[in-house]
Amino acid sequence: DTGVSQNPRHKITKRGQNVTFRCDPISEHNRLYWYRQTLGQGPEFLTYFQNEAQLEKSRLLSDRFSAERPKGSFSTLEIQRTEQGDSAMYLCASSFEELRGYTLYNEQFFGPGTRLTVL
Amino acid sequence: GIQVEQSPPDLILQEGANSTLRCNFSDSVNNLQWFHQNPWGQLINLFYIPSGTKQNGRLSATTVATERYSLLYISSSQTTDSGVYFCAVERGTSYDKVIFGPGTSLSVIP
């Protein structure tokens, strides 16, 4: 397995355009997370999926953002009507949540990210 | 919501020196991870450590969940250790499911 992959790696768009990013998780991983990271900051949680179900969304996630994970495999993150403030690195992570003894194990592995620039 | 703090914010080390990075969190968490973000932005897993102590080569980590802190030890630092170190905590059901600390920026000079 080659790890989590994200496409495209870079995206430049004009304000008002829609963009879509794709994340392919490590195979068999049942959880998939999306984050946004701006310069000098730590990643900020946006949303996550357990298989195909979207379970949590951050209050940071405006209505212009939508994510899907059809069939519980790859995921897409779409941003509609992009704004300059959307410029950031968008990171995807996946994990396999499982019970090990009495402990819930859920180690996340990150992809290389998609850098979005909105002009 | 939960607060995650890291100290120090910046650290400059001479190659070969040792260091300790700290992560404090304000509420109970399900798990904790340490990451190294390299200059190309890739987050590299260092430790998955909700509690206890782990070691991996020159790195080790300790989490004391009851006191809500974790420590990352780097011994005999190398220039390739430079980058930003993040701790991240994961909670149960919450709109702020995963919280990253602000990071410690480490520069190791020859």
Side-chain angles (χ1 to χ4, degrees):
Chain A
D1 196 339
T2 55
V4 179
S5 61
Q6 293 187 245
N7 287 287
R9 295 292 308 278
H10 303 273
K11 178 71 177 179
I12 300 174
T13 191
K14 292 183 179 179
R15 189 177 52 178
Q17 298 294 305
N18 300 342
V19 294
T20 300
F21 310 140
R22 176 177 171 129
C23 172
D24 286 89
I26 294 171
S27 59
E28 308 304 324
H29 275 193
N30 51 13
R31 284 200 172 185
L32 189 148
Y33 300 76
W34 284 101
Y35 297 84
R36 179 173 61 194
Q37 185 177 24
T38 53
L39 199 62
Q41 306 293 319
E44 295 173 311
F45 168 77
L46 294 179
T47 187
Y48 90 99
F49 293 82
Q50 177 87 17
N51 299 311
E52 67 275 11
Q54 188 173 17
L55 295 188
E56 297 290 345
K57 286 195 283 188
S58 167
R59 292 176 178 174
L60 299 173
L61 209 61
S62 82
D63 292 342
R64 298 183 296 105
F65 288 67
S66 62
E68 293 183 342
R69 192 184 183 197
K71 302 179 183 178
S73 56
F74 71 92
S75 176
T76 57
L77 178 69
E78 181 183 17
I79 309 174
Q80 296 183 327
R81 306 180 302 283
T82 53
E83 302 172 356
Q84 287 184 325
D86 296 331
S87 295
M89 175 78 88
Y90 289 83
L91 296 164
C92 173
S94 72
S95 67
F96 185 73
E97 187 188 43
E98 60 179 339
L99 195 60
R100 295 185 178 180
Y102 296 105
T103 304
L104 202 59
Y105 177 86
N106 187 37
E107 182 176 6
Q108 294 186 46
F109 296 87
F110 279 79
T114 295
R115 183 167 297 283
L116 173 66
T117 302
V118 182
L119 302 175
Chain B
I2 189 171
Q3 305 296 316
V4 180
E5 299 173 344
Q6 289 187 245
S7 59
D10 301 282
L11 187 58
I12 299 175
L13 293 177
Q14 199 78 37
E15 198 169 22
N18 303 330
S19 63
T20 300
L21 282 55
R22 187 177 180 104
C23 173
N24 291 335
F25 43 99
S26 61
D27 202 350
S28 59
V29 298
N30 290 355
N31 62 61
L32 185 146
Q33 284 188 251
W34 282 97
F35 296 94
H36 175 213
Q37 190 163 43
N38 66 21
W40 297 271
Q42 176 71 52
L43 281 162
I44 299 164
N45 288 38
L46 297 178
F47 294 101
Y48 177 87
I49 187 165
S51 63
T53 297
K54 291 185 177 179
Q55 180 154 9
N56 185 4
R58 296 182 296 104
L59 303 181
S60 64
T62 295
T63 297
V64 183
T66 53
E67 297 186 20
R68 299 178 183 166
Y69 73 88
S70 184
L71 301 174
L72 177 68
Y73 305 95
I74 304 174
S75 65
S76 304
S77 58
Q78 300 176 358
T79 55
T80 52
D81 294 332
S82 296
V84 183
Y85 290 79
F86 290 104
C87 67
V89 300
E90 184 164 5
R91 313 180 71 194
T93 302
S94 173
Y95 60 84
D96 56 348
K97 175 74 172 167
V98 181
I99 303 293
F100 274 74
T104 292
S105 179
L106 174 65
S107 297
V108 181
I109 55 177

